[in-house]
Amino acid sequence: FEEILKDGDLSADDLAAKADVAPAFLATLAKGKPPLDLKAAQRVGEALDLDVPNFVGSVVEAALRQI
């Protein structure tokens, strides 16, 4: 996710606004320690024009690995 964020056209703040999530949520995604908020992950995936189910699945997998 961090690579997508670096290579993208949106700043982290712009992406947070477009996805309607807090910048702190994006920071935790970038650190690989996402909170399990599926709706927020869905909005981020949509804002980045990604395959949303695949992106959300990656978020869930990362969250489960932190347990």
Side-chain angles (χ1 to χ4, degrees):
F1 177 75
E2 192 170 12
E3 291 299 318
I4 293 170
L5 199 53
K6 286 181 184 177
D7 294 339
D9 295 334
L10 295 173
S11 71
D13 287 338
D14 290 339
L15 175 58
K18 184 175 180 180
D20 191 28
V21 297
F25 179 80
L26 296 179
T28 59
L29 284 180
K31 291 177 185 173
K33 299 179 181 180
L36 194 53
D37 183 337
L38 298 180
K39 282 296 198 185
Q42 177 185 358
R43 291 191 304 268
V44 171
E46 290 169 349
L48 290 170
D49 294 323
L50 298 175
D51 177 338
V52 173
N54 188 39
F55 178 74
V56 172
S58 297
V59 170
V60 171
E61 181 180 357
L64 290 173
R65 291 188 184 279
Q66 299 300 315
I67 295 175

